[in-house]
């Protein structure tokens, strides 16, 4: 078995230029060595696609897919998941910021479980904590 199975990061984008570069930097800085990043754009009209292509030109782990028509949030992510080649899939929103050990910790926690997820801290535009987490707003289900 491969010591570092491939993790496919499916990054769904739509008019996300404001946060996208910071987000891409955080994913590319992951400590997990076996990553592919599938950036799937759902018809952006801002500079999102330009930013994705720029980063893909510098890093071969990034694959950019541009939808011919807008699929909507869920179907965009479903399409990205179908394109994933990794043993594991990590979903990523365009305005997320990931700590460097996120993927490593998630892979380490999954064990024999079919899925693993983590809580998210809500932050302002400058990544300053707002003092709340997603779990404060949404009831998580134990699987």
């Amino acid at each position: 078995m491969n010591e570092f199975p491939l993790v496919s990061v499916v990054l769904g984008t739509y008019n996300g230029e404001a946060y996208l570069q910071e987000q891409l930097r955080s994913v590319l800085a992951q400590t997990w060595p076996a990553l592919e990043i599938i950036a799937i754009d759902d018809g952006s009209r801002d500079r999102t696609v330009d930013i994705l292509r720029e980063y893909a030109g510098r890093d071969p782990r990034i694959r950019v897919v541009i939808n011919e028509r807008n699929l909507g949030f869920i179907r965009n992510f479903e399409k990205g998941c179908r394109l994933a080649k990794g043993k594991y899939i990590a979903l990523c929103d365009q305005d997320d910021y990931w700590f460097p050990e996120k993927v490593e910790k998630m892979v380490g926690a999954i064990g024999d479980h079919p899925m693993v997820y983590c809580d998210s801290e809500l932050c302002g535009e400058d990544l300053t904590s707002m003092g709340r987490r997603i779990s404060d707003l949404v009831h998580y289900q134990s699987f």
Side-chain angles (χ1 to χ4, degrees):
M1 187 163 121
N2 186 351
E3 183 180 358
F4 297 106
L6 183 65
V7 174
S8 298
V9 177
V10 176
L11 168 59
T13 63
Y14 179 75
N15 292 336
E17 74 175 297
Y19 307 104
L20 186 56
Q21 291 187 66
E22 186 70 30
Q23 204 291 327
L24 285 167
R25 284 191 291 267
S26 76
V27 172
L28 292 170
Q30 292 299 299
T31 57
W32 189 257
L35 288 179
E36 74 166 347
I37 300 157
I38 302 163
I40 184 156
D41 187 74
D42 205 19
S44 293
R45 294 184 193 104
D46 63 1
R47 291 195 61 252
T48 296
V49 171
D50 295 332
I51 294 167
L52 291 173
R53 286 181 174 152
E54 176 187 327
Y55 275 78
R58 294 191 311 236
D59 195 309
R61 296 176 294 174
I62 302 173
R63 181 170 26 144
V64 178
V65 178
I66 301 164
N67 294 335
E68 292 179 13
R69 63 179 178 83
N70 184 277
L71 300 177
F73 178 78
I74 293 172
R75 289 179 49 209
N76 192 45
F77 273 105
E78 287 174 343
K79 181 177 177 180
C81 289
R82 284 192 304 273
L83 296 170
K85 296 177 184 171
K87 178 176 181 178
Y88 303 112
I89 297 173
L91 302 179
C92 183
D93 287 325
Q94 65 194 9
D95 62 348
D96 287 352
Y97 176 86
W98 288 8
F99 290 116
E101 304 85 14
K102 177 185 169 100
V103 172
E104 184 175 353
K105 287 181 178 182
M106 298 291 280
V107 171
I110 198 165
D112 292 332
H113 303 288
M115 69 178 287
V116 62
Y117 62 91
C118 61
D119 205 353
S120 297
E121 185 172 354
L122 300 175
C123 297
E125 290 183 18
D126 61 354
L127 294 177
T128 302
S129 175
M130 298 172 81
R132 297 186 78 178
R133 296 183 170 273
I134 293 290
S135 60
D136 295 334
L137 307 172
V138 177
H139 175 71
Y140 280 106
Q141 175 67 40
S142 174
F143 294 96

